[in-house]
Amino acid sequence: MAFVERVFSGVQPTGNLHLGNYLGAIVNFVKMQETHNCIYCVVDMHAITMGMDVWGGPAELARNTREVTAAFIASGIDPKKHIVFNQSQVSGHAELAWIFNCVARMGWLNRMTQFKEKAGKDRENASVGIFDYPVLMAADILLYRATHVPVGEDQKQHLELSRDIAQKFNNDFGDSIRAQGANDGLFFPLPEPLITGPATRVMSLRDGTKKMSKSDASDNSRINLTDDADTIAQKIRKAKTDPEPLPSEEKGLEGRPEADNLVGIFAALSGRAKADVLREFGGGQFSSFKNALAELCVAKLAPIAGEMKRLVADPGHIDATLNDGADRARAIADETMKLSKDIVGFIRRR
Ligand code: AQP
């Protein structure tokens, strides 16, 4: 079957969006609009897999869902030409996840490193949802039979699992799929991860070996899209570094994760290569480089923050955008669910 090329990706409304989400995902979302039909989802059902202390409770979840939507639009995603919606409005995500729960194997999920990181030592107390997160993610993508998924580096393993689930479904139900008219026995595409763009893994400002994350307890570990100029400058000034001056060549960043991260952020925001950044700043102290980085961050993020502020001031408009996106997403999702149910052998209302 020749699948129509379609892009799907999602962001969790678990707190303030940060520079990692922006450079690792949203910048690519914006770019993909030029060449593909895109579906961008605020994955609120994923957000509640963590404890309520992480996602903040009902009022905070709704606030964050609107804020992520505003960040998408403020960064340049066009919700009229493409689809922007929140996951819980389309019931097919949960329905397909159940079918996939019966396709995926425990052994596959047991290998997921993100579950191990997020559950930490207290695995017995982790929600079933956090263990099942990658299955819901496969359902998110395959509900739209999406072929391409722009994500940050941290999602690579989950994307591989989505491909395994798609493949096993196609194999397990091959005869039934053929009986529905697809002679090649392929119902779901194997989605391709698109891990490209300016910075696929932005690290914490407090620890260059840990990724920048919304749920990190320290707000100083990340630059939020909504931080004001003073806060950005202060966080960059406080960012962990080492006592050596900046190297003049990229090789000199080896074994210096914090320096590498800051130079990587500068390169990504300015659209330059790291080597080029080091040609300008190499040999100098961190303090002057940090000033230049803070200025650059503010110049790039302030317009987005300003537009987000304007958008969230009108929640009715954001909700209307999400409703419209959900209606258009549902039209595609319903068709996939109808066919999936026929393939599995569920009797449905006709
Ligand atoms: N540090 C990062 N560098 C590059 N890309 C990143 N992404 C996240 N952190 C970085 C990418 O952003 C997209 C949305 O991520 P998400 O919110 O759905 O979940 P996440 O990957 O778990 O991100 P966080 O910030 O760490 O959230 P919490 O703390 O809530 O789990 C994804 O494409 C991701 O790769």
Side-chain angles (χ1 to χ4, degrees):
M1 185 182 199
F3 292 100
V4 180
E5 287 206 353
R6 183 179 281 149
V7 163
F8 178 95
S9 199
V11 172
Q12 296 187 78
T14 35
N16 288 320
L17 285 185
H18 53 73
L19 198 59
N21 299 130
Y22 180 69
L23 292 173
I26 297 177
V27 167
N28 284 340
F29 294 3
V30 174
K31 196 149 177 261
M32 294 304 294
Q33 297 183 110
E34 292 162 19
T35 49
H36 287 75
N37 289 321
C38 302
I39 303 177
Y40 295 128
C41 187
V42 186
V43 288
D44 47 7
M45 289 160 64
H46 282 278
I48 64 166
T49 57
M50 295 296 282
M52 210 183 275
D53 53 328
V54 174
W55 55 273
E60 194 69 358
L61 183 64
R63 197 189 71 77
N64 284 332
T65 300
R66 293 191 184 105
E67 195 171 278
V68 173
T69 309
F72 282 174
I73 299 169
S75 303
I77 290 170
D78 183 342
K80 290 210 169 71
K81 287 203 187 121
H82 300 272
I83 295 179
V84 172
F85 73 108
N86 59 311
Q87 187 184 23
S88 59
Q89 286 213 48
V90 179
S91 58
H93 290 260
E95 286 187 75
L96 189 59
W98 184 258
I99 295 176
F100 286 172
N101 273 333
C102 303
V103 172
R105 305 288 96 181
M106 287 294 286
W108 299 359
L109 290 177
N110 273 331
R111 284 195 285 277
M112 296 295 113
T113 53
Q114 198 174 84
F115 170 72
K116 289 177 194 156
E117 281 161 23
K118 290 203 167 175
K121 289 200 182 82
D122 196 9
R123 283 179 71 150
E124 290 296 305
N125 228 348
S127 73
V128 176
I130 192 73
F131 183 71
D132 204 31
Y133 184 112
V135 176
L136 179 59
M137 181 167 157
D140 298 338
I141 297 163
L142 295 168
L143 187 58
Y144 304 97
R145 294 203 269 176
T147 51
H148 294 85
V149 187
V151 282
E153 175 81 38
D154 61 316
Q155 293 300 325
K156 190 166 179 246
Q157 195 186 33
H158 287 168
L159 249 297
E160 279 159 12
L161 188 101
S162 295
R163 291 168 64 87
D164 290 343
I165 290 175
Q167 182 135 42
K168 187 165 187 301
F169 181 97
N170 289 343
N171 289 346
D172 289 356
F173 294 102
D175 291 344
S176 185
I177 293 168
R178 271 182 280 274
Q180 303 290 332
N183 293 335
D184 57 8
L186 299 179
F187 181 64
F188 288 117
L190 306 192
E192 293 277 348
L194 296 173
I195 305 176
T196 55
T200 55
R201 192 167 172 81
V202 178
M203 309 310 277
S204 156
L205 299 181
R206 308 300 305 157
D207 177 352
T209 63
K210 259 173 67 184
K211 77 162 192 154
M212 188 176 282
S213 168
K214 293 187 219 96
S215 50
D216 193 310
S218 162
D219 195 54
N220 281 330
S221 69
R222 61 186 161 257
I223 292 171
N224 302 307
L225 293 191
T226 49
D227 282 344
D228 61 28
D230 285 348
T231 311
I232 292 177
Q234 205 182 45
K235 285 180 179 177
I236 291 179
R237 213 174 307 122
K238 281 191 182 160
K240 187 175 166 199
T241 45
D242 54 50
E244 302 299 316
L246 272 170
S248 303
E249 288 177 12
E250 228 180 315
K251 210 170 170 312
L253 291 172
E254 278 170 21
R256 299 177 65 186
E258 284 84 15
D260 190 23
N261 188 38
L262 294 183
V263 172
I265 293 173
F266 194 104
L269 285 173
S270 60
R272 292 163 62 182
K274 279 190 199 173
D276 188 33
V277 175
L278 290 175
R279 262 194 294 278
E280 183 180 343
F281 293 98
Q285 292 305 317
F286 272 104
S287 51
S288 55
F289 173 68
K290 281 180 167 180
N291 288 339
L293 179 57
E295 235 171 74
L296 179 62
C297 268
V298 171
K300 294 287 174 186
L301 299 186
I304 297 173
E307 183 60 4
M308 281 174 71
K309 210 168 168 186
R310 192 185 69 76
L311 290 164
V312 293
D314 186 355
H317 182 70
I318 293 192
D319 292 3
T321 301
L322 290 172
N323 292 347
D324 171 63
D327 288 345
R328 288 185 287 136
R330 208 175 293 114
I332 305 169
D334 285 354
E335 185 60 17
T336 307
M337 282 320 299
K338 196 175 82 183
L339 296 170
S340 303
K341 286 177 183 177
D342 288 346
I343 289 167
V344 172
F346 290 153
I347 294 172
R348 61 181 170 85
R349 190 174 177 83
R350 284 176 199 266

